[in-house]
Amino acid sequence: MQLGKAVRMERIMNRNNGRTIVVPIDHGVTVGPIYGLVDLRKTVNQVAEGGANAMLMHKGIPRCSHRNYGPDIGLIIHLSASTSLSPYPNAKTLVATVEDALSLGADAVSLHINLGDETEPRMLADLGAVCSEANKWGMPVLAMMYARGPKVTDEYDPAVVAHCARVGVELGADIVKVNYTGDPDSFRNVVNGACGVPVVIAGGPKLESDRDIVQMVHDSIQAGGSGLSVGRNIFQHADPSRIVKALHKVVHEDWSVDAAMELFD
């Protein structure tokens, strides 16, 4: 790995264990200014105080969220988008460039790819092109890989999730984000199929309890996962800093679920 990319990877991942806690706040483009994404400086500070490694956002949001105080946190600029108002919400379009991210001082870029959608060919072309361009600049790429389309009956199916992860790896992503498959054994196969590239899990819909998300993250780590990229279950939490602290203990200090849950008592 070239030096520039290695340095940037260490800004968004723990250099000692190769794991990360990423909190995406790119939802404003998709669904608007939802709860947790109005006072962005407050949200970013709560997440940073909790010990997250990086925030992920669109190119216009750093100016609304840069704090000038508090602990440092990595920055990932999201390059693709679609809205829930579109008749084609799964068709992601490039809305920023690697150069945009560099000018903002970003440590990585990310894209969202929906395999199985009718516009899959264009999204795959975008992923391949961005990975090539980012590699020239030593910029890491996080690929959010999901299966969503007419032929997809279960996007959490282990074989489908493993396919998603492998596509990201094959096209040059440095980190792949996928759905959790529901149990450590099946998720271990996903991780093993990613050829050593870090695999992080998505949060999905807002979960019922704090234990649910802590357990999911714990199990994914036990299966060889490299952490999480979770949005709503963190920034819409009643206490974002506390849930991040609990996840930090699990991801970076190998705490048990029961020990991490004591932080909520």
Side-chain angles (χ1 to χ4, degrees), residues 76-153:
I76 302 172
I77 295 297
H78 198 45
L79 304 186
S80 60
S82 67
T83 78
S84 59
L85 303 176
S86 169
Y88 312 105
N90 288 332
K92 300 296 180 178
T93 301
L94 284 181
V95 293
T97 66
V98 174
E99 287 82 358
D100 289 333
L102 286 165
S103 71
L104 290 166
D107 305 301
V109 296
S110 63
L111 294 89
H112 180 145
I113 309 298
N114 289 315
L115 299 182
D117 185 75
E118 291 89 339
T119 59
E120 176 193 285
R122 177 173 53 77
M123 286 187 278
L124 289 180
D126 289 342
L127 177 59
V130 167
C131 286
S132 295
E133 184 68 16
N135 195 54
K136 295 177 185 176
W137 290 100
M139 178 71 84
V141 177
L142 185 159
M144 305 178 182
M145 306 297 301
Y146 301 102
R148 295 171 181 169
K151 293 174 63 178
V152 179
T153 58

Side-chain angles (χ1 to χ4, degrees), residues 13-220:
M13 304 189 80
N14 185 317
R15 66 177 64 181
N16 296 317
N17 60 20
R19 298 174 186 170
T20 189
I21 298 173
V22 176
V23 180
I25 54 170
D26 58 312
H27 305 64
V29 168
T30 309
V31 293
I34 58 177
Y35 173 71
L37 296 185
V38 177
D39 187 341
L40 291 168
R41 288 185 177 88
K42 178 181 178 181
T43 296
V44 171
N45 198 59
Q46 289 173 321
V47 170
E49 291 281 357
N53 297 90
M55 302 293 297
L56 184 153
M57 61 189 73
H58 283 289
K59 64 182 179 182
I61 296 303
R63 61 188 169 182
C64 308
S65 59
H66 184 63
R67 296 121 61 220
N68 292 308
Y69 61 86
D72 196 13
I73 190 167
L75 174 62
I76 302 172
I77 295 297
H78 198 45
L79 304 186
S80 60
S82 67
T83 78
S84 59
L85 303 176
S86 169
Y88 312 105
N90 288 332
K92 300 296 180 178
T93 301
L94 284 181
V95 293
T97 66
V98 174
E99 287 82 358
D100 289 333
L102 286 165
S103 71
L104 290 166
D107 305 301
V109 296
S110 63
L111 294 89
H112 180 145
I113 309 298
N114 289 315
L115 299 182
D117 185 75
E118 291 89 339
T119 59
E120 176 193 285
R122 177 173 53 77
M123 286 187 278
L124 289 180
D126 289 342
L127 177 59
V130 167
C131 286
S132 295
E133 184 68 16
N135 195 54
K136 295 177 185 176
W137 290 100
M139 178 71 84
V141 177
L142 185 159
M144 305 178 182
M145 306 297 301
Y146 301 102
R148 295 171 181 169
K151 293 174 63 178
V152 179
T153 58
D154 180 7
E155 66 175 291
Y156 298 93
D157 180 274
V160 171
V161 175
H163 190 176
C164 288
R166 188 55 180 259
V167 170
V169 173
E170 297 256 357
L171 295 189
D174 302 288
I175 307 169
V176 291
K177 172 182 175 178
V178 295
N179 287 322
Y180 183 58
T181 54
D183 64 87
D185 288 340
S186 63
F187 194 67
R188 187 172 290 108
N189 292 331
V190 174
V191 173
N192 290 341
C195 301
V197 171
V199 178
V200 299
I201 62 169
K206 198 163 189 312
L207 297 173
E208 293 296 321
S209 71
D210 296 329
R211 178 173 280 273
D212 286 343
I213 183 171
V214 173
Q215 185 73 58
M216 178 177 69
V217 171
H218 173 272
D219 291 350
S220 73

Side-chain angles (χ1 to χ4, degrees), residues 219-238:
D219 291 350
S220 73
I221 293 293
Q222 295 303 304
S226 295
L228 61 139
S229 176
V230 170
R232 284 177 233 228
N233 285 293
I234 290 178
F235 67 71
Q236 290 191 329
H237 192 275

